[in-house]
Amino acid sequence: MSKRPQIRFIINPTSGPKSRVDVAARIAILLDHEKYKHDIVYTTHAGHAPELAREAAEAGCEVVVAVGGDGTVNEVARGLLNTNTALGILPKGSGNGLARHLKIPLALDKAIQLLNKGQVASIDSGCINGHPFLRPLELVSMLTSVLCLLVTKSEACRRMWSW
């Protein structure tokens, strides 16, 4: 019998709209347990996910799944940079921009079923002034923020960022 890959799910319990869906229970029911072993950890504060992801990669997890929105995904991805650990996404945020871009189903059960297929794809990442990003939209957002900081008297930027 071959070794089953280890998946660590990092759940942000405060991410996205409030729902009564028990994510851990759905994972327990729908994850293919013949194919994967798994464990679940929860973030407790902003900036916690990179630490949890890094620990998972160092412990030999083959896959770390971010369960949350774009912020959670970004944090988990930062913790996995320069490792061989794959990033998975179960979208539970309010926007889920990266999941949408990657065509990951927004319905939790369907996203877990996709995860069971074990398909891995490479995506680009970049870094500006020490801030990693995963997709062009995040780059645009960062550049807009920088521009607004440079032009602090701009009324348009004040309205855009509610200053």
Side-chain angles (χ1 to χ4, degrees):
M1 177 180 214
S2 64
K3 180 184 168 226
R4 294 180 298 156
Q6 176 70 35
I7 299 177
R8 172 152 308 152
F9 291 87
I10 298 177
I11 298 176
N12 178 350
T14 63
S15 184
K18 300 301 170 228
S19 73
R20 295 188 175 165
V21 175
D22 183 343
V23 176
R26 298 310 297 159
I27 291 168
I29 292 167
L30 295 170
L31 188 69
D32 185 343
H33 298 286
E34 291 183 17
K35 199 172 193 178
Y36 303 111
K37 296 183 293 181
H38 81 282
D39 62 356
I40 297 173
V41 295
Y42 294 85
T43 60
T44 58
H45 56 275
H48 192 203
E51 176 186 333
L52 294 172
R54 208 170 13 262
E55 289 171 0
E58 290 170 358
C61 288
E62 287 86 353
V63 180
V64 173
V65 177
V67 183
D70 289 326
T72 304
V73 172
N74 197 329
E75 284 196 4
V76 171
R78 274 190 315 208
L80 297 178
L81 285 175
N82 302 313
T83 73
N84 292 322
T85 302
L87 168 68
I89 301 171
L90 294 182
K92 291 292 292 168
S94 55
N96 302 306
L98 184 59
R100 289 175 194 275
H101 180 76
L102 297 173
K103 303 210 183 328
I104 295 171
L106 299 183
L108 181 63
D109 290 4
K110 289 182 179 180
I112 295 169
Q113 291 165 355
L114 179 63
L115 186 63
N116 282 331
K117 292 181 179 179
Q119 297 172 335
V120 178
S122 295
I123 62 172
D124 291 330
S125 65
C127 190
I128 295 178
N129 291 335
H131 299 284
F133 61 92
L134 296 178
R135 60 193 176 107
L137 185 57
E138 290 171 2
L139 174 60
V140 170
S141 177
M142 281 194 306
L143 292 176
T144 302
S145 297
V146 169
L147 180 60
C148 285
L149 290 173
L150 292 174
V151 189
T152 56
K153 295 184 186 223
S154 166
E155 189 61 33
C157 285
R158 272 192 234 114
R159 280 195 310 272
M160 183 174 175
W161 298 103
S162 301
W163 296 349

